[in-house]
Amino acid sequence: MRIIKPAWLTHGGERKDFEVYSCHVSPDGSRLVTAAGDGHVRVWSTEAIYNAGDPSYTKPKQLASMSYHSGTIHTVRFSPNGKYLASGADDKIVCVYTLDPHPPSHAATFGTNEPPPVETWRIFRRLIGHDNDVQDLGWSYDASILVSVGLDSKVVVWSGFTFEKLKTLSHHQSHVKGLTFDPANKYFATASDDRTIKIFRFTPPAPNSTAQDQMNNYQIETTIVTPFASSPLTTYFRRCSWSPDGNHIAAANAVNGPVSSVAIINRGSWDSEINLIGHEGPVEVCAFSPRLFCKDPPNQLNQDGKVVMQHMVTVIACAGQDKALSVWNTSHPRPLVITQDLTVKSISDLAWSGDGKHLFATSLDGSIVSVIFDDGDLGYPVGLEENEKSLAKYGAGRRGIGVVEGTEGLLLEERSKEGELKGVQGRMGELMGDQNEKAGPKINGSGVNTPSGGVATSAVGTPSGQGSSTAQTNAQPAESSAVQSQAQQQADANAAKVQKLKQRVTIGPDGKKRVTPILVSSAAGGAESSLPRTQLMAASTATQGVKNDAPQSVLDLSKPYDGLPRGGLAALLLGNKRKAAVFDGDEEGHVEKKAATSRRGKGVPILVNGVDGVEPPTASTPKPAEPTPEFLRPAVVNPSLAISQVRLAVPKVRSHIVHGFDSEGKPSTGDTVAEGTNGATGQKSGATSASVVFEARNPTGPAATGRVQDRDPARISLTKRGQILWQDFLPRNVLLVTGYKHMWVAACEDGSIHVWTPAGRRLLNALVVEAQPVILESKGWWVLCVTAAGMCHVWNIKTLSSPHPPVSLGPVLDIAIHSLQGHPTMAAAVTSARLNSQGNIIITLSNGDGYTYSPSMYVWQRLSEMWWAVGSQYWNTTDSSVGNLQTNSDSTNAAKIKDDNLSLANLSAGIIPHLERNTTNETLLRGRAHFLQRLIKSLLSREGFEGFESSVSIAHLENRVAAALQLGAREEFRVYLQMYAKRLGAEGMKGKVEELLRGLLGGIFRETDGDAEGRSLVKEGSGRGWQEESEELCGCDRRKLLKEVILLLGKHRDLQRITVPYAKLLGVMDEQIEGGGGGGGGGGGEDAMSS
């Protein structure tokens, strides 16, 4: 081992050498870059350093010098591909340089002692994102991202391609002074003065990724606290290092009791069992050698002529405030090398050469030291292929940028980026209030544009593909006049409000009159407030081009569930720190003092939010108490339940059962209906929102004959605004009632079901089922009845038929699993049972699972479960782009869709979000997901589960797409399909992408061997699914869906060999994109494709 300390290797000043804070070696090992307090970044020739003792060496020593910073430079790093050089300083700026291939065009700068430059490093980017000194930098091992940390406690992630700021992470509570990257390219770690190291998990971004694409990347994995509980805060740096095999992190400035140490943190478990002890002062910098070493020379042969397998070790160098340098390896408990007083002041940085034989150290005394190790001093370095083998178990796969296949690929990539740019511009326009320049969202399944206010501007629907341009042209004058009149009315209303506000006068405690000040934005012509509005956000995110379809973080169910804040929704909207209103005669503020006194006793004062502030409530007229329906007795149990494996709870017999609708045909809430129908007279219905009420009244007293075995009949009636339309009587007690526009249904205690027309005519004979009905639902012409024996019956009253035989809930409830155990356990309970517009059964259970029954395959299908909630990055039950899809067939689509014929556009909207919300609620309430989430978190760091989270997320998207296709939910199918295509493109899954594109064209399951029988089977089964031969898929035009997917995938160069032929087929490169984001392909493109 030799130590070289050339006299010329400094950042010289007039009186003394400047402090050197950082150094780094280029990937090819030919350059050493240093940064110091003189504001210069200097590039040195490593060959000149190694030959410093040779007087015959005459080649240039300093290759270049850059002074683009205005202060002390703390860190400097080469990119792993050698293309860029980055530096960070106390001027809060990160500079990125690139090497100019042309020789320098000038000699040394006039008036300086700088030697003439040999290389030209030009400034490429100046990155501004920190609010304080930049302390450390780091490149990912594929150079896809650059991360900077500083004294502002921020961790800023920059793109390694465009150097756009991708994300700012503010998880630390104090100065961040160290950074290191995982060589497997899965994590990076940051060290801070808050005495923690935080591990962040990331996915390398694509070359053309934007900040919007990376919004949910870079999630915190864990926080390591134990080794740093009492570490000193006097160190200038906390530079940690990741071992080349990916197994360990060496953390500087750790403590082991009262002794300073270096903590070795294990990957996966993130615990620290090994400490390197020996330094007398705090260790500021650690650096693993980039190579693995073995004890003997590699590729040695044994007596049998086979290569001897040797145990490989890693080598680490440590230094800090004690001015000593120590070198360790993992096979020795003591250091291999200790050099005391290597420098006069603290050692600030360490850097290894790529071959692992040279180590460079910088010090605050201005010196730069080179340590050269001979063969065998540290061991013998093995080939880089051993590093790759060690990293392969952690899923280290580096995808390249991709090579453009031709001009068509460039055009497709340009169209894809253009669509994304328009989507971002539209989103920014809506957030900035440019509402008049963009059409509002479309209600699911209709062609009606709805502005942000939620009011439809036109109720005229035009069938797609037939005269759409003509209808649009003819409707423009009417729409423009309607919009102008509506805007005029809005302006008049705003002007009246402003005038009223201007005239508001209050009397202060001193008796003087004051005019209440108002916001300038409110006075400026009645303009709308620029504050965020819930209505604006919900409407804007529901547009086709603006979707929140980025991966979300894993749902953390270990944290407490937060509801509304103290004070309820009013406190959330208006705040709970409002000033009390001033009243006449209350000059001394008795109201405010009384409220303050009640708060001292941890009580909540009874105050209401008034116009001028909080006010004491006024006495209101008490609402008359309404009688509650009386439970007469339990229902008689059917004998069939004694031998049934499924036994559901039977509803009790009530005296009064009500089912109501408002004027638009929507079911009213139970409270509203009860107000109008539970009274003695029943004449208050006109004052409630329940326009039509269907009710059943069971007899409450003894029979009129006086005999016990006799019973009075149950009375069935339908009222509209308090007027009885028709009445009927049943000889048995009624348990459940339901109804819709087309029929009214009542289920009796003996298992009989009666159906009436809207006019009260009996439509069918009584339907008799095997046990008492426990759930009775209706939708359109469909009726669902779930009996106490767990059988589900579905009937179509219009066609007097059933789509399938009665089906049991046994498979859904896992009866076999719970009954065949040693000790029977409680099975899941049914929380709701509903129908969609096609007559499919939708079941939700108390364990969070959601099911539907497939009438074509005669089997239950699970649509939602707890596994997706804790394992998928896309589990986001508040996604407004899906949650705002509604079925408004009865109101807005009345002119387009007849009452007895619902189109595919209106089927099942919102069912999948409803099931996923139910899963979240059930898992939160029952606490069952906590242990499953712990299991998944432990799997993420295990060998063999490197792609676990990505696989589960993709599977969840595939589950969503299949569910939307099964239920016929058109809008949800489009949203989920675009999310799925984006993720496939980001992952580069060529096989799935090619199969998806072929499936959108139709026939991915078609036989290719000419088998006539196979073709006939495909043709016979066509009608639903990917293999159907129609022009539509789930109610959407296949070509339009294919075009949207092509535009989403076009920016990925490694997939262009697959996507370009489909883009040529559709003429994507020849058309102008209309609309933003994934929803591209406007009217012109659709007409061109249809032709």
Side-chain angles (χ1 to χ4, degrees), residues 817-864:
I817 296 177
H818 293 274
S819 61
L820 296 180
Q821 295 177 352
H823 300 282
T825 57
M826 182 180 295
V830 179
T831 56
S832 69
R834 299 183 180 182
L835 285 171
N836 74 338
S837 302
Q838 278 186 323
N840 290 344
I841 308 173
I842 310 295
I843 298 290
T844 61
L845 302 183
S846 58
N847 61 2
D849 291 354
Y851 295 85
T852 185
Y853 186 77
S854 173
S856 57
M857 295 188 291
Y858 300 104
V859 71
W860 288 100
Q861 292 180 317
R862 186 187 293 112
L863 305 186
S864 178

Side-chain angles (χ1 to χ4, degrees), residues 3 5 280 320-325 338-345 347 363 365 367 369:
I3 298 177
K5 197 173 182 181
E280 297 177 358
Q321 291 184 0
D322 59 353
K323 304 179 286 291
L325 171 68
I338 300 177
T339 58
Q340 297 286 348
D341 297 325
L342 182 64
T343 59
V344 178
K345 292 184 180 180
I347 297 177
S363 172
D365 63 0
S367 61
V369 182

Side-chain angles (χ1 to χ4, degrees), residues 227-475:
F228 317 100
S230 58
S231 63
L233 302 179
T234 58
T235 57
Y236 207 79
F237 299 105
R238 290 175 179 258
R239 285 175 168 152
C240 43
S241 179
W242 211 303
S243 64
D245 58 359
N247 287 331
H248 306 98
I249 302 174
N253 202 10
V255 291
N256 189 344
V259 182
S260 178
S261 68
V262 175
I264 305 299
I265 301 169
N266 299 316
R267 183 195 186 105
S269 61
W270 310 115
D271 56 358
S272 175
E273 299 176 352
I274 302 174
N275 287 273
L276 307 182
I277 301 174
H279 283 270
E280 297 177 358
V283 177
E284 295 197 23
V285 55
C286 305
F288 272 103
S289 172
R291 303 293 287 269
L292 296 174
F293 291 84
C294 57
K295 184 177 181 181
D296 299 319
N299 301 325
Q300 285 189 345
L301 303 179
N302 56 13
Q303 296 178 356
D304 300 333
K306 297 182 180 179
V307 178
V308 179
M309 299 299 295
Q310 301 186 53
H311 177 65
M312 289 176 292
V313 298
T314 56
V315 174
I316 179 175
C318 308
Q321 291 184 0
D322 59 353
K323 304 179 286 291
L325 171 68
S326 62
V327 181
W328 312 65
N329 74 5
T330 53
S331 63
H332 288 76
R334 296 183 180 275
L336 299 177
V337 177
I338 300 177
T339 58
Q340 297 286 348
D341 297 325
L342 182 64
T343 59
V344 178
K345 292 184 180 180
S346 300
I347 297 177
S348 57
D349 204 359
L350 297 172
W352 288 88
S353 61
D355 57 5
K357 296 181 180 180
H358 305 86
L359 175 65
F360 296 90
T362 59
S363 172
L364 298 185
D365 63 0
S367 61
I368 303 170
V369 182
S370 173
V371 182
I372 302 177
F373 297 96
D374 298 327
D375 292 339
D377 288 346
L378 305 176
Y380 295 89
V382 298
L384 291 176
E385 62 273 5
E386 296 298 333
N387 290 35
E388 296 177 1
K389 289 180 182 179
S390 300
L391 297 174
K393 62 183 178 182
Y394 300 122
R398 304 182 178 93
R399 291 176 53 205
I401 298 177
V403 179
V404 181
E405 298 291 336
T407 55
E408 293 87 357
L410 284 175
L411 288 173
L412 180 59
E413 184 175 348
E414 182 183 353
R415 293 297 185 194
S416 177
K417 291 181 180 179
E418 181 182 352
E420 287 187 353
L421 180 61
K422 288 192 176 183
V424 173
Q425 291 174 348
R427 180 162 59 252
M428 291 302 298
E430 289 202 36
L431 292 176
M432 296 301 294
D434 301 337
Q435 302 172 17
N436 297 329
E437 300 178 3
K438 191 172 181 180
K442 291 186 179 181
I443 297 176
N444 185 28
S446 69
V448 182
N449 285 337
T450 307
S452 60
V455 182
T457 58
S458 173
V460 180
T462 306
S464 60
Q466 299 180 2
S468 58
S469 59
T470 306
Q472 184 178 2
T473 305
N474 296 335

